[in-house]
Amino acid sequence: MVLTPSTMLALGTQAPDFSLWDVTAEQPLTLGEAMGEKGLLVMFICCHCPFVKHIQAQLSQLGKDYQNSGLAMVAISANDAEKYPDDSPPGLKKMAQDWDYYFPVLYDETQAIAKAYRAACTPDFFLFDAQGKLAYRGQLDDSRPSNGLPVTGVDLRQAMDLVLAGSPVPTEQKPSIGCNIKWKPGNEPDYQSN
């Protein structure tokens, strides 16, 4: 799945609000509670996707590297857990524990939040600045499961460092590539064709 800028959430958009179940803390978490004083990275991930599996160690490292920076992180899975049981809340909790994630993992059962963010694939990254405005929506880096390039997180890390510095993020951004979000039958969004 590849998005084009015309189908992606526009830069400068205010972070869509949410209240979702945190599978790790086993309680609801809202956007306001998740937001850090310097911004928030929202990542749409899942358990079974080979593109996510390819970068899990880097996601864990990102959480460790930025945990005291003021830039918060949260992961959301919106996949249809009926058809993909690995992506159910227990599966997500196990993934978070296995990979030592330093950020909450949330479950978007209705898929409404994924739609609000115009998320299309796993992984998909949305970085909001201290004012809650979208500064970056793009790839982690150029590494893919089949291309042999190391997973460094360079694209996303550069954007996060710029947001932390209060500097503008360049608007030329490479969209994330991964597996389609597994929409429930009849719930596919108008911005994505499966």
Side-chain angles (χ1 to χ4, degrees):
M1 175 69 209
V2 181
L3 288 179
T4 61
S6 63
T7 60
M8 296 165 74
L9 194 65
L11 293 173
T13 299
Q14 197 70 31
D17 201 8
F18 61 75
S19 178
L20 293 171
W21 188 254
D22 179 344
V23 303
T24 46
E26 298 190 353
Q27 63 186 22
L29 184 72
T30 66
L31 172 68
E33 292 164 338
M35 181 68 75
E37 72 175 78
K38 295 187 178 176
L40 177 67
L41 173 63
V42 177
M43 306 173 283
F44 285 86
I45 65 171
C46 67
C47 296
H48 84 276
C49 169
F51 288 86
V52 175
K53 287 182 175 182
H54 180 65
I55 63 167
Q56 278 176 323
Q58 182 60 217
L59 295 184
S60 180
Q61 192 61 50
L62 273 173
K64 292 176 180 130
D65 291 348
Y66 288 89
Q67 67 175 324
N68 297 314
S69 67
L71 181 60
M73 297 171 60
V74 66
I76 299 174
S77 178
N79 279 358
D80 180 355
E82 201 168 293
K83 284 193 176 171
Y84 297 86
D86 285 354
D87 297 334
S88 66
L92 295 168
K93 183 174 184 175
K94 183 177 185 313
M95 175 185 66
Q97 291 168 338
D98 288 350
W99 286 98
D100 199 19
Y101 284 167
Y102 277 65
F103 46 82
V105 178
L106 312 179
Y107 181 54
D108 180 14
E109 186 174 9
T110 68
Q111 303 182 320
I113 303 309
K115 285 183 175 181
Y117 280 75
R118 299 182 73 84
C121 60
T122 53
D124 214 351
F125 300 95
F126 299 83
L127 177 61
F128 298 90
D129 65 17
Q131 287 74 48
K133 296 195 179 304
L134 185 63
Y136 180 82
R137 37 86 178 115
Q139 67 176 9
L140 180 74
D141 58 30
D142 287 326
S143 182
R144 305 288 180 261
S146 60
N147 70 9
L149 294 175
V151 181
T152 63
V154 63
D155 294 50
L156 183 57
R157 284 174 178 271
Q158 285 176 349
M160 292 171 78
D161 291 343
L162 287 168
V163 164
L164 281 168
S167 302
V169 179
T171 57
E172 193 171 316
Q173 302 170 4
K174 293 181 184 176
S176 194
I177 295 173
C179 301
N180 286 2
I181 285 179
K182 306 308 180 196
W183 303 103
K184 294 178 180 180
N187 205 30
E188 298 84 359
D190 57 6
Y191 59 83
Q192 180 178 0
S193 57
N194 285 322

